[in-house]
Amino acid sequence: MNLNFVAGKTFETIDPRTGETIARVSEGDKEDIDLAVGAARRAFDHGPWPRLPGAARAKIMHKFADLIDQHIEELATLDTLNAGKLFSWGKAVDIPSVANTLRYFAGAADKIHGQVLKMSRELHAYTLLEPIGVVGLIIPWNFPSTMFFVKVSPALAAGCTMVVKPAEQTPLSALFYAHLAKEAGIPDGVINVVSGYGPTAGAALTSHMNVDKVSFTGSTEVGRKVMQAAAASNLKTVSLELGGKSPLLIFDDADIDQAADLALLGVMHNKGEVCVAGSRVLVQEAIYDEFVKTLVEKAKEWVVGDPFHPNSRVGPQVDKKQYEKVMSYIEHGKREGATLLTGGKPAAKKGYYIEPTVFTDVTEDMMISRDEIFGPVMALMKFKTIEEGIKYANNTKYGLASGIVTKSLDIANTVSRSIKAGVVWINCYHGFDIDCPFGGYKMSGFGKDFGMEALHKYLQTKAVVTPIYNSPWL
């Protein structure tokens, strides 16, 4: 699928619908990362990209976006084959959205400027916002296209050069995007894609002395290793978007049909392989029983099947390892005393399909309530008062996202200000937008994706100061 790397090694990439091999992909390791970082360093230090006017970078980025629009079908197909994502969703949402992400940050490329400062003595000063340099971008497997451009787009707009390491489970679309980048006219060395494994290629990238910043999306466990590598090497800056165990609080004034729909969307979307999945659903006790009945009926609408089929709403888990992990958590839930309300079984004889699964009678000490499962598994709990709901919601080491369902503005205001999470969705879920900053609290990481805050991750501020003489004013 791509040019052979130094060692000439390859690895299989798997179709999760069947467990069969799609293709063999070149496997990069430390030597290949060295070459890619070297190309990015030359492109940054001596190439045109950081030195182009912002409007010129924007023009090329717009062409890149137009090329993506011309290849929506192929790109959606690659992500469905490689990640088990719904083809209809990829065509309608994911791939058009990545083109628009490029256009959004292209619009910012010529608006990067510092400030003139009012000094307290006879000095004139201003700030410059300069590209941070060579950046390492490590992409997760659950949204291979979306997360590629969440990171690449602001880095391009800022004038950085980059080495991208896609997840070993889902390298195919990233390799195609590298091809389109070249067609769009992005200079050689600006975007370098190295497919390979985390412990080899990923580790080499995070510890490389010529990389100025790393942006990583993935597990909290690996996020720790990224920080350690950055500290032990050249103290490169790091931004991390990590795990989550997000709560959805449903209050007793909520519309129960709406609440059940949001609860299922929150944890079943993308077969539960979502960092912000609302996997802890906290329901106020007055409506709990009615909510459970409604939820069971609505869960039947989440049809499991081939992600290319238009009626399917839940595709296969990304690979055998993830499938087995989710199934093991379902067994933990049973053993620890939770009640299996629906689902909990494999949904096909072939491939990595799992039935949408809902547990009731869940307590805070159970593994299915504490751990990020990253699959279609919901843990249902009840609470009495607003204060108790907030306490349960915050009883997690994570703080990525949360949701509230209520008709009361007072409850919405109180709870949204009390939850320790980077985003709070009120009467909605997965309410993402390119203009809305996204990132975590606590062990869900730090640094924002989306919005202008994402652009500033790839910039650094330089102050320039000069004396002024005989000025009539400061």
Side-chain angles (χ1 to χ4, degrees):
M1 293 298 298
N2 59 332
L3 295 175
N4 286 332
F5 292 142
V6 172
K9 295 185 292 184
T10 62
F11 64 96
E12 292 181 337
T13 188
I14 303 298
D15 182 347
R17 300 174 306 150
T18 61
E20 296 171 358
T21 301
I22 304 168
R24 296 195 69 87
V25 178
S26 292
E27 179 187 340
D29 54 23
K30 184 180 184 302
E31 290 79 6
D32 303 294
I33 292 293
D34 282 340
L35 290 173
V37 171
R41 175 54 63 192
R42 289 189 296 275
F44 185 78
D45 290 347
H46 308 293
W49 190 254
R51 293 160 187 84
L52 287 175
R57 286 200 300 273
K59 185 176 181 181
I60 296 171
M61 291 173 69
H62 277 290
K63 185 175 180 182
F64 193 3
D66 292 343
L67 286 170
I68 291 168
D69 282 341
Q70 293 168 27
H71 293 278
I72 285 175
E73 186 112 0
E74 299 100 304
L75 289 161
T77 298
L78 288 175
D79 281 352
T80 299
L81 284 173
N82 217 184
K85 297 177 70 66
L86 296 181
F87 179 66
S88 58
W89 185 268
K91 279 184 65 177
V93 180
D94 278 2
I95 309 304
S97 293
V98 304
N100 289 333
T101 299
L102 265 173
R103 294 184 179 106
Y104 176 89
F105 285 105
D110 61 353
K111 300 169 185 69
I112 298 169
H113 42 71
Q115 297 176 304
V116 176
L117 306 175
K118 179 69 172 176
M119 305 292 273
S120 62
R121 55 199 184 97
E122 292 180 333
L123 298 169
H124 173 67
Y126 59 92
T127 59
L128 297 171
L129 295 180
E130 299 181 340
I132 200 165
V134 175
V135 297
L137 307 176
I138 301 178
I139 312 299
W141 45 258
N142 58 329
F143 287 90
S145 288
T146 300
M147 295 310 301
F148 186 98
F149 284 98
V150 162
K151 297 182 187 300
V152 165
S153 303
L156 285 174
C160 294
T161 61
M162 62 211 70
V163 177
V164 184
K165 207 237 29 114
E168 57 265 29
Q169 295 89 343
T170 54
L172 298 183
S173 58
L175 297 171
F176 196 71
Y177 289 125
H179 164 70
L180 294 181
K182 190 170 181 64
E183 278 197 9
I186 292 176
D188 289 348
V190 174
I191 299 179
N192 306 271
V193 176
V194 180
S195 49
Y197 291 96
T200 50
L205 186 58
T206 58
S207 61
H208 205 288
M209 296 296 290
N210 252 330
V211 172
D212 301 302
K213 175 187 173 59
V214 168
S215 176
F216 169 80
T217 297
S219 71
T220 299
E221 177 190 8
V222 177
R224 289 181 185 274
K225 295 178 181 178
V226 171
M227 285 193 73
Q228 289 166 353
S233 54
N234 59 344
L235 284 174
K236 58 179 66 68
T237 62
V238 174
S239 55
L240 303 172
E241 195 258 279
L242 306 176
K245 193 67 180 175
S246 300
L248 175 66
L249 289 99
I250 300 171
F251 290 91
D252 57 14
D253 66 337
D255 180 290
I256 290 178
D257 281 333
Q258 179 196 35
D261 285 335
L262 290 175
L264 289 163
L265 174 68
V267 73
M268 304 304 170
H269 174 64
N270 203 53
K271 56 273 185 16
E273 293 175 347
V274 188
C275 53
V276 298
S279 52
R280 291 186 298 141
V281 177
L282 312 175
V283 184
Q284 202 158 14
E285 62 181 3
I287 61 167
Y288 183 85
D289 291 340
E290 186 181 354
F291 174 84
V292 168
K293 290 177 185 176
T294 303
L295 188 77
V296 169
E297 287 304 308
K298 288 182 175 291
K300 297 173 184 175
E301 301 170 9
W302 286 78
V303 177
V304 183
D306 189 319
F308 281 106
H309 196 287
N311 292 338
S312 296
R313 295 188 71 182
V314 182
Q317 309 308 128
V318 73
D319 63 8
K320 184 178 180 181
K321 181 180 177 182
Q322 184 61 22
Y323 168 85
E324 290 176 345
K325 175 187 171 183
V326 175
M327 291 305 300
S328 73
Y329 271 108
I330 291 171
E331 292 306 310
H332 279 303
K334 295 176 185 176
R335 282 198 300 271
E336 290 184 325
T339 301
L340 183 62
L341 187 66
T342 186
K345 299 188 295 294
K349 293 181 180 178
K350 192 175 187 180
Y352 307 127
Y353 298 90
I354 297 174
E355 293 177 347
T357 300
V358 179
F359 281 101
T360 58
D361 303 315
V362 177
T363 58
E364 290 184 286
D365 59 339
M366 292 180 181
M367 291 179 70
I368 58 171
S369 176
R370 297 196 321 266
D371 293 357
E372 183 179 43
I373 298 173
F374 229 62
V377 181
M378 180 192 298
L380 265 176
M381 301 168 65
K382 67 174 72 171
F383 65 92
K384 295 179 180 179
T385 64
I386 294 173
E387 293 74 22
E388 187 176 57
I390 292 168
K391 176 177 171 288
Y392 287 168
N394 286 331
N395 187 19
T396 173
K397 63 185 178 182
Y398 298 114
L400 194 54
S402 58
I404 302 167
V405 187
T406 180
K407 295 174 183 175
S408 167
L409 184 60
D410 289 340
I411 291 174
N413 284 333
T414 297
V415 177
S416 62
R417 284 159 172 77
S418 301
I419 291 178
K420 297 180 176 70
V423 62
V424 181
W425 291 306
I426 300 172
N427 295 327
C428 61
Y429 210 85
H430 298 307
F432 291 105
D433 187 82
I434 187 59
D435 203 39
C436 183
F438 169 71
Y441 284 17
K442 300 192 285 187
M443 290 179 69
S444 291
F446 47 83
K448 299 296 183 184
D449 290 323
F450 299 139
M452 288 300 100
E453 288 191 47
L455 178 67
H456 284 265
K457 291 195 304 188
Y458 301 98
L459 298 166
Q460 52 192 351
T461 301
K462 176 185 287 180
V464 181
V465 183
T466 183
I468 51 176
Y469 302 102
N470 303 318
S471 174
W473 54 77
L474 292 179

Short mmCIF file of all heavy atoms in Angstrom, two decimals, residues 211-255:
data_model
loop_
_atom_site.label_atom_id
_atom_site.label_comp_id
_atom_site.label_asym_id
_atom_site.label_seq_id
_atom_site.Cartn_x
_atom_site.Cartn_y
_atom_site.Cartn_z
N VAL A 211 12.00 16.50 17.06
CA VAL A 211 10.56 16.78 17.05
C VAL A 211 10.28 17.81 18.14
O VAL A 211 10.70 17.66 19.28
CB VAL A 211 9.75 15.50 17.28
CG1 VAL A 211 8.27 15.82 17.47
CG2 VAL A 211 9.93 14.54 16.10
N ASP A 212 9.57 18.89 17.79
CA ASP A 212 9.35 20.00 18.70
C ASP A 212 8.06 19.88 19.50
O ASP A 212 7.90 20.54 20.53
CB ASP A 212 9.32 21.31 17.91
CG ASP A 212 10.62 21.55 17.17
OD1 ASP A 212 11.68 21.59 17.81
OD2 ASP A 212 10.57 21.65 15.91
N LYS A 213 7.13 19.07 19.02
CA LYS A 213 5.85 18.91 19.72
C LYS A 213 5.25 17.57 19.32
O LYS A 213 5.42 17.12 18.18
CB LYS A 213 4.88 20.04 19.35
CG LYS A 213 3.49 19.85 19.96
CD LYS A 213 2.49 20.85 19.49
CE LYS A 213 1.11 20.49 20.02
NZ LYS A 213 1.03 20.42 21.48
N VAL A 214 4.51 16.96 20.24
CA VAL A 214 3.73 15.76 19.94
C VAL A 214 2.28 15.99 20.34
O VAL A 214 2.00 16.51 21.43
CB VAL A 214 4.29 14.52 20.70
CG1 VAL A 214 3.31 13.35 20.60
CG2 VAL A 214 5.64 14.11 20.13
N SER A 215 1.38 15.64 19.46
CA SER A 215 -0.05 15.62 19.77
C SER A 215 -0.52 14.18 19.64
O SER A 215 -0.39 13.56 18.58
CB SER A 215 -0.82 16.52 18.81
OG SER A 215 -2.22 16.44 19.06
N PHE A 216 -1.07 13.66 20.73
CA PHE A 216 -1.45 12.24 20.81
C PHE A 216 -2.91 12.11 21.21
O PHE A 216 -3.36 12.78 22.15
CB PHE A 216 -0.56 11.52 21.83
CG PHE A 216 -1.03 10.14 22.18
CD1 PHE A 216 -0.75 9.06 21.35
CD2 PHE A 216 -1.76 9.89 23.34
CE1 PHE A 216 -1.19 7.78 21.66
CE2 PHE A 216 -2.20 8.61 23.67
CZ PHE A 216 -1.90 7.55 22.83
N THR A 217 -3.63 11.25 20.52
CA THR A 217 -4.97 10.85 20.94
C THR A 217 -4.98 9.33 21.10
O THR A 217 -4.59 8.60 20.19
CB THR A 217 -6.04 11.27 19.92
OG1 THR A 217 -6.06 12.70 19.84
CG2 THR A 217 -7.41 10.78 20.33
N GLY A 218 -5.40 8.88 22.30
CA GLY A 218 -5.41 7.45 22.57
C GLY A 218 -5.67 7.19 24.04
O GLY A 218 -6.32 8.00 24.72
N SER A 219 -5.16 6.10 24.54
CA SER A 219 -5.43 5.70 25.91
C SER A 219 -4.61 6.50 26.91
O SER A 219 -3.54 7.02 26.59
CB SER A 219 -5.13 4.21 26.09
OG SER A 219 -3.73 3.99 26.05
N THR A 220 -5.12 6.59 28.14
CA THR A 220 -4.39 7.27 29.20
C THR A 220 -3.08 6.55 29.50
O THR A 220 -2.05 7.21 29.77
CB THR A 220 -5.27 7.34 30.46
OG1 THR A 220 -6.46 8.10 30.15
CG2 THR A 220 -4.54 8.01 31.62
N GLU A 221 -3.09 5.24 29.43
CA GLU A 221 -1.87 4.46 29.68
C GLU A 221 -0.75 4.86 28.71
O GLU A 221 0.40 5.11 29.11
CB GLU A 221 -2.17 2.97 29.53
CG GLU A 221 -0.97 2.06 29.69
CD GLU A 221 -1.27 0.62 29.31
OE1 GLU A 221 -2.36 0.34 28.78
OE2 GLU A 221 -0.37 -0.22 29.53
N VAL A 222 -1.06 4.95 27.42
CA VAL A 222 -0.04 5.32 26.45
C VAL A 222 0.28 6.81 26.55
O VAL A 222 1.42 7.23 26.34
CB VAL A 222 -0.50 4.94 25.02
CG1 VAL A 222 0.52 5.40 23.98
CG2 VAL A 222 -0.70 3.43 24.92
N GLY A 223 -0.72 7.62 26.92
CA GLY A 223 -0.47 9.05 27.12
C GLY A 223 0.62 9.30 28.15
O GLY A 223 1.45 10.22 28.00
N ARG A 224 0.64 8.51 29.21
CA ARG A 224 1.72 8.62 30.20
C ARG A 224 3.08 8.38 29.56
O ARG A 224 4.06 9.09 29.84
CB ARG A 224 1.51 7.60 31.32
CG ARG A 224 0.36 7.86 32.27
CD ARG A 224 0.33 6.74 33.30
NE ARG A 224 -0.80 6.83 34.19
CZ ARG A 224 -0.82 7.56 35.31
NH1 ARG A 224 0.24 8.28 35.63
NH2 ARG A 224 -1.88 7.57 36.09
N LYS A 225 3.15 7.36 28.71
CA LYS A 225 4.41 7.03 28.06
C LYS A 225 4.86 8.15 27.12
O LYS A 225 6.06 8.43 26.99
CB LYS A 225 4.27 5.71 27.30
CG LYS A 225 4.03 4.51 28.20
CD LYS A 225 3.85 3.24 27.39
CE LYS A 225 3.60 2.04 28.29
NZ LYS A 225 3.38 0.79 27.52
N VAL A 226 3.90 8.79 26.47
CA VAL A 226 4.22 9.91 25.59
C VAL A 226 4.85 11.05 26.40
O VAL A 226 5.87 11.63 26.00
CB VAL A 226 2.96 10.39 24.85
CG1 VAL A 226 3.23 11.69 24.10
CG2 VAL A 226 2.47 9.32 23.88
N MET A 227 4.25 11.36 27.54
CA MET A 227 4.80 12.43 28.38
C MET A 227 6.19 12.07 28.90
O MET A 227 7.09 12.92 28.95
CB MET A 227 3.87 12.70 29.57
CG MET A 227 2.63 13.46 29.21
SD MET A 227 1.77 14.08 30.67
CE MET A 227 2.86 15.39 31.18
N GLN A 228 6.37 10.82 29.31
CA GLN A 228 7.67 10.39 29.80
C GLN A 228 8.74 10.50 28.71
O GLN A 228 9.86 10.95 28.97
CB GLN A 228 7.57 8.95 30.31
CG GLN A 228 6.78 8.81 31.60
CD GLN A 228 6.41 7.37 31.91
OE1 GLN A 228 6.63 6.47 31.10
NE2 GLN A 228 5.82 7.15 33.08
N ALA A 229 8.38 10.10 27.49
CA ALA A 229 9.34 10.18 26.39
C ALA A 229 9.69 11.62 26.06
O ALA A 229 10.86 11.95 25.79
CB ALA A 229 8.76 9.48 25.16
N ALA A 230 8.69 12.49 26.10
CA ALA A 230 8.95 13.91 25.83
C ALA A 230 9.86 14.51 26.89
O ALA A 230 10.78 15.28 26.57
CB ALA A 230 7.63 14.67 25.77
N ALA A 231 9.64 14.15 28.15
CA ALA A 231 10.46 14.69 29.24
C ALA A 231 11.88 14.15 29.18
O ALA A 231 12.84 14.88 29.45
CB ALA A 231 9.82 14.33 30.58
N ALA A 232 12.03 12.89 28.82
CA ALA A 232 13.35 12.26 28.81
C ALA A 232 14.17 12.64 27.59
O ALA A 232 15.38 12.42 27.57
CB ALA A 232 13.20 10.75 28.88
N SER A 233 13.53 13.22 26.58
CA SER A 233 14.27 13.59 25.36
C SER A 233 14.59 15.07 25.37
O SER A 233 15.49 15.52 26.08
CB SER A 233 13.47 13.16 24.12
OG SER A 233 12.15 13.69 24.13
N ASN A 234 13.83 15.87 24.63
CA ASN A 234 14.16 17.29 24.50
C ASN A 234 13.10 18.21 25.12
O ASN A 234 13.01 19.38 24.75
CB ASN A 234 14.34 17.65 23.02
CG ASN A 234 13.09 17.36 22.20
OD1 ASN A 234 12.20 16.64 22.65
ND2 ASN A 234 13.01 17.92 21.00
N LEU A 235 12.31 17.68 26.05
CA LEU A 235 11.25 18.46 26.70
C LEU A 235 10.31 19.09 25.68
O LEU A 235 9.86 20.23 25.85
CB LEU A 235 11.84 19.54 27.62
CG LEU A 235 12.41 19.04 28.95
CD1 LEU A 235 13.10 20.18 29.68
CD2 LEU A 235 11.31 18.45 29.82
N LYS A 236 10.01 18.33 24.63
CA LYS A 236 9.05 18.81 23.63
C LYS A 236 7.69 19.02 24.27
O LYS A 236 7.33 18.34 25.25
CB LYS A 236 8.95 17.82 22.47
CG LYS A 236 8.54 16.42 22.87
CD LYS A 236 8.43 15.48 21.68
CE LYS A 236 9.73 15.20 21.02
NZ LYS A 236 10.67 14.41 21.84
N THR A 237 6.93 19.95 23.75
CA THR A 237 5.59 20.18 24.28
C THR A 237 4.68 19.02 23.85
O THR A 237 4.90 18.38 22.82
CB THR A 237 4.99 21.51 23.82
OG1 THR A 237 4.86 21.49 22.40
CG2 THR A 237 5.87 22.68 24.23
N VAL A 238 3.66 18.77 24.66
CA VAL A 238 2.77 17.63 24.45
C VAL A 238 1.33 18.09 24.62
O VAL A 238 1.02 18.87 25.52
CB VAL A 238 3.09 16.51 25.47
CG1 VAL A 238 2.07 15.37 25.37
CG2 VAL A 238 4.50 15.97 25.27
N SER A 239 0.46 17.61 23.77
CA SER A 239 -0.98 17.73 24.03
C SER A 239 -1.59 16.33 23.92
O SER A 239 -1.21 15.54 23.05
CB SER A 239 -1.65 18.70 23.05
OG SER A 239 -1.40 18.36 21.71
N LEU A 240 -2.51 16.03 24.82
CA LEU A 240 -3.05 14.69 24.96
C LEU A 240 -4.57 14.72 25.02
O LEU A 240 -5.15 15.48 25.80
CB LEU A 240 -2.53 14.04 26.25
CG LEU A 240 -1.01 13.94 26.45
CD1 LEU A 240 -0.69 13.44 27.85
CD2 LEU A 240 -0.39 13.01 25.41
N GLU A 241 -5.21 13.89 24.19
CA GLU A 241 -6.65 13.66 24.30
C GLU A 241 -6.80 12.18 24.59
O GLU A 241 -6.54 11.34 23.73
CB GLU A 241 -7.36 14.07 23.02
CG GLU A 241 -8.87 14.20 23.20
CD GLU A 241 -9.61 12.99 22.65
OE1 GLU A 241 -9.82 12.93 21.44
OE2 GLU A 241 -9.98 12.11 23.47
N LEU A 242 -7.20 11.86 25.83
CA LEU A 242 -7.07 10.50 26.34
C LEU A 242 -8.44 9.87 26.63
O LEU A 242 -9.42 10.22 26.02
CB LEU A 242 -6.16 10.51 27.58
CG LEU A 242 -4.78 11.16 27.36
CD1 LEU A 242 -4.00 11.22 28.65
CD2 LEU A 242 -4.00 10.43 26.28
N GLY A 243 -8.46 8.96 27.59
CA GLY A 243 -9.65 8.17 27.82
C GLY A 243 -10.78 8.94 28.48
O GLY A 243 -10.62 10.08 28.92
N GLY A 244 -11.91 8.28 28.56
CA GLY A 244 -13.08 8.87 29.20
C GLY A 244 -14.02 7.81 29.77
O GLY A 244 -14.00 6.66 29.34
N LYS A 245 -14.80 8.22 30.73
CA LYS A 245 -15.90 7.39 31.26
C LYS A 245 -17.03 8.34 31.54
O LYS A 245 -17.40 8.63 32.69
CB LYS A 245 -15.45 6.65 32.53
CG LYS A 245 -16.40 5.55 32.96
CD LYS A 245 -16.43 4.39 31.96
CE LYS A 245 -17.39 3.30 32.40
NZ LYS A 245 -17.50 2.23 31.38
N SER A 246 -17.59 8.87 30.47
CA SER A 246 -18.42 10.06 30.55
C SER A 246 -19.81 9.75 31.09
O SER A 246 -20.44 8.76 30.71
CB SER A 246 -18.52 10.72 29.18
OG SER A 246 -17.24 11.09 28.73
N PRO A 247 -20.33 10.62 31.98
CA PRO A 247 -21.67 10.45 32.53
C PRO A 247 -22.73 11.19 31.72
O PRO A 247 -22.49 12.29 31.20
CB PRO A 247 -21.55 11.08 33.92
CG PRO A 247 -20.56 12.20 33.72
CD PRO A 247 -19.60 11.72 32.66
N LEU A 248 -23.89 10.59 31.62
CA LEU A 248 -25.08 11.26 31.10
C LEU A 248 -26.09 11.29 32.24
O LEU A 248 -26.55 10.23 32.68
CB LEU A 248 -25.66 10.53 29.89
CG LEU A 248 -26.99 11.08 29.35
CD1 LEU A 248 -26.80 12.47 28.78
CD2 LEU A 248 -27.57 10.15 28.29
N LEU A 249 -26.41 12.49 32.76
CA LEU A 249 -27.36 12.63 33.86
C LEU A 249 -28.74 12.96 33.31
O LEU A 249 -28.92 13.95 32.60
CB LEU A 249 -26.91 13.74 34.82
CG LEU A 249 -25.68 13.45 35.66
CD1 LEU A 249 -24.46 14.09 35.02
CD2 LEU A 249 -25.86 13.98 37.06
N ILE A 250 -29.71 12.12 33.67
CA ILE A 250 -31.08 12.30 33.21
C ILE A 250 -31.94 12.62 34.42
O ILE A 250 -32.10 11.79 35.33
CB ILE A 250 -31.57 11.03 32.49
CG1 ILE A 250 -30.68 10.75 31.27
CG2 ILE A 250 -33.03 11.19 32.07
CD1 ILE A 250 -30.93 9.41 30.62
N PHE A 251 -32.50 13.82 34.45
CA PHE A 251 -33.27 14.28 35.60
C PHE A 251 -34.76 13.96 35.43
O PHE A 251 -35.23 13.69 34.31
CB PHE A 251 -33.02 15.77 35.82
CG PHE A 251 -31.62 16.04 36.31
CD1 PHE A 251 -30.59 16.28 35.41
CD2 PHE A 251 -31.32 15.99 37.66
CE1 PHE A 251 -29.29 16.49 35.85
CE2 PHE A 251 -30.03 16.20 38.12
CZ PHE A 251 -29.00 16.44 37.21
N ASP A 252 -35.49 14.00 36.53
CA ASP A 252 -36.86 13.46 36.51
C ASP A 252 -37.85 14.32 35.74
O ASP A 252 -38.99 13.89 35.53
CB ASP A 252 -37.36 13.18 37.93
CG ASP A 252 -37.34 14.40 38.82
OD1 ASP A 252 -37.19 15.53 38.31
OD2 ASP A 252 -37.45 14.23 40.06
N ASP A 253 -37.44 15.51 35.29
CA ASP A 253 -38.32 16.31 34.44
C ASP A 253 -38.04 16.08 32.96
O ASP A 253 -38.66 16.73 32.10
CB ASP A 253 -38.15 17.80 34.77
CG ASP A 253 -36.77 18.33 34.42
OD1 ASP A 253 -35.82 17.52 34.33
OD2 ASP A 253 -36.63 19.56 34.23
N ALA A 254 -37.14 15.17 32.64
CA ALA A 254 -36.73 14.97 31.25
C ALA A 254 -37.83 14.31 30.44
O ALA A 254 -38.66 13.55 30.96
CB ALA A 254 -35.47 14.12 31.20
N ASP A 255 -37.85 14.58 29.13
CA ASP A 255 -38.67 13.83 28.19
C ASP A 255 -38.04 12.44 28.06
O ASP A 255 -36.90 12.31 27.60
CB ASP A 255 -38.69 14.55 26.84
CG ASP A 255 -39.52 13.82 25.80
OD1 ASP A 255 -39.08 12.74 25.37
OD2 ASP A 255 -40.59 14.32 25.43
#
